[in-house]
């Protein structure tokens, strides 16, 4: 068997080879007319890949399924239990084939957040230490709003001809989650985002998009360092 040169390349700490970064987004949900249905998966994957490039950790790709609250019907999602099962299988595979011991999960879809309550079970099942990074969710603002539009501009996935139509909220009820009244009643954060889009509309600012990515990437890199120090 070949002896791998774990110290080769720009590697500050050889132990980083045991750390993986994986994106957890959503591939199948509406984001208004200006963004594609896999916006969250592409945003999360970009953050995860750039963080891996800068830290030396292994890029593990993206989890395919995603979860969503029952009262938000803007795409195709799975139960929390199915997401948990898939995540466990994916991480077990990473451990088996890549000798991964620690993982940062980059979450870029708010509907996945309930999985945080299941992470202790996931760690026990996989024998992998996990940090769940929710930075982009906490900073990007409303669903299909200015933050996601601006990040979409950076990634080149934005249809700028449709930005003016993004605030046709009667047609595109998913923007700001405007049309999901039950979710708005149950979650003050969702209500705040919906009102923001209703009252202020949306805009595209590439500099803002780059800033959001920079905040998220730096946060993930910090989490990688925490795992190396653990």
């Amino acid at each position: 068997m070949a002896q791998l040169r774990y110290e080769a390349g720009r590697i500050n700490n050889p132990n980083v080879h045991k750390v993986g970064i994986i994106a957890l987004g959503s591939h199948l949900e509406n984001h208004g007319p200006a963004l594609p249905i896999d916006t969250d998966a592409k945003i999360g994957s970009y953050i995860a890949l750039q963080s891996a490039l800068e830290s030396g950790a292994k890029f593990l790709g993206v989890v395919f399924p995603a979860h969503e609250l029952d009262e938000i019907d803007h795409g195709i999602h799975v139960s929390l239990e199915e997401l948990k099962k898939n995540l466990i299988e994916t991480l077990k595979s990473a451990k088996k084939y890549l000798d991964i011991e620690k993982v940062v999960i980059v979450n870029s879809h708010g509907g996945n957040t309930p999985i945080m309550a299941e992470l202790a079970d996931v760690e026990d099942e996989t024998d992998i230490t996990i940090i769940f990074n929710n930075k982009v969710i906490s900073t990007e603002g409303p669903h299909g709003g200015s933050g996601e539009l601006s990040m979409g501009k950076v990634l080149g996935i934005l249809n700028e001809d449709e930005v003016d139509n993004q605030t046709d909220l009667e047609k595109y009820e998913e923007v700001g989650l405007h049309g999901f009244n039950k979710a708005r009643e149950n979650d003050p954060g969702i209500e705040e985002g919906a009102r923001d889009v209703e009252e202020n509309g949306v805009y595209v600012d590439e500099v803002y998009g780059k800033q959001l990515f920079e905040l998220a990437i730096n946060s993930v890199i910090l989490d990688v360092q925490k795992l190396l120090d653990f």
Side-chain angles (χ1 to χ4, degrees):
M1 181 179 294
Q3 294 296 311
L4 294 175
R5 299 183 184 90
Y6 283 97
E7 75 284 359
R10 191 184 66 80
I11 299 295
N12 295 326
N13 186 336
N15 292 329
V16 81
H17 289 290
K18 294 185 179 294
V19 179
I21 305 175
I22 192 166
L24 179 61
S26 176
H27 288 81
L28 301 171
E29 63 179 37
N30 294 323
H31 280 75
L35 290 168
I37 60 174
D38 59 348
T39 291
D40 290 352
K42 285 173 175 168
I43 286 174
S45 295
Y46 180 82
I47 294 167
L49 176 58
Q50 292 301 314
S51 302
L53 291 174
E54 294 186 32
S55 67
K58 286 188 171 67
F59 175 58
L60 303 181
V62 57
V63 176
F64 291 163
H67 177 64
E68 186 54 277
L69 301 174
D70 290 339
E71 57 265 35
I72 299 176
D73 182 17
H74 62 356
I76 299 173
H77 301 96
V78 302
S79 68
L80 189 62
E81 189 60 33
E82 186 171 351
L83 176 59
K84 177 181 174 181
K85 178 181 177 183
N86 185 274
L87 181 59
I88 288 171
E89 291 173 351
T90 301
L91 294 182
K92 281 184 174 180
S93 184
K95 185 177 184 70
K96 177 179 179 179
Y97 293 109
L98 301 178
D99 197 25
I100 294 296
E101 296 180 357
K102 303 173 182 181
V103 166
V104 180
I105 297 175
V106 180
N107 183 42
S108 54
H109 167 61
N112 290 324
T113 304
I115 197 69
M116 294 177 68
E118 306 293 328
L119 289 183
D121 287 346
V122 176
E123 288 184 315
D124 288 344
E125 287 280 337
T126 61
D127 194 28
I128 288 175
T129 302
I130 297 170
I131 291 180
F132 192 85
N133 187 291
N134 220 28
K135 185 64 173 181
V136 72
I137 295 300
S138 67
T139 57
E140 70 181 1
H143 181 79
S146 301
E148 286 194 319
L149 290 170
S150 298
M151 287 188 288
K153 170 70 173 177
V154 174
L155 294 182
I157 61 173
L158 177 70
N159 183 348
E160 296 192 57
D161 292 337
E162 290 286 352
V163 171
D164 287 344
N165 297 321
Q166 190 79 358
T167 49
D168 183 350
L169 300 180
E170 296 306 312
K171 186 174 183 179
Y172 304 108
E173 63 178 357
E174 71 274 10
V175 176
L177 301 180
H178 154 82
F180 300 101
N181 293 327
K182 191 66 175 178
R184 294 178 63 168
E185 291 173 10
N186 294 340
D187 189 322
I190 293 176
E191 174 65 17
E192 182 181 357
R195 285 188 176 275
D196 182 25
V197 170
E198 291 169 352
E199 296 171 5
N200 303 312
V202 298
Y203 62 87
V204 177
D205 183 339
E206 189 169 1
V207 173
Y208 176 44
K210 289 178 179 178
Q211 290 172 338
L212 288 172
F213 276 126
E214 184 177 359
L215 283 171
I217 292 165
N218 287 341
S219 176
V220 175
I221 292 172
L222 180 59
D223 283 341
V224 170
Q225 188 60 53
K226 289 176 183 176
L227 290 174
L228 289 172
D229 293 341
F230 180 73

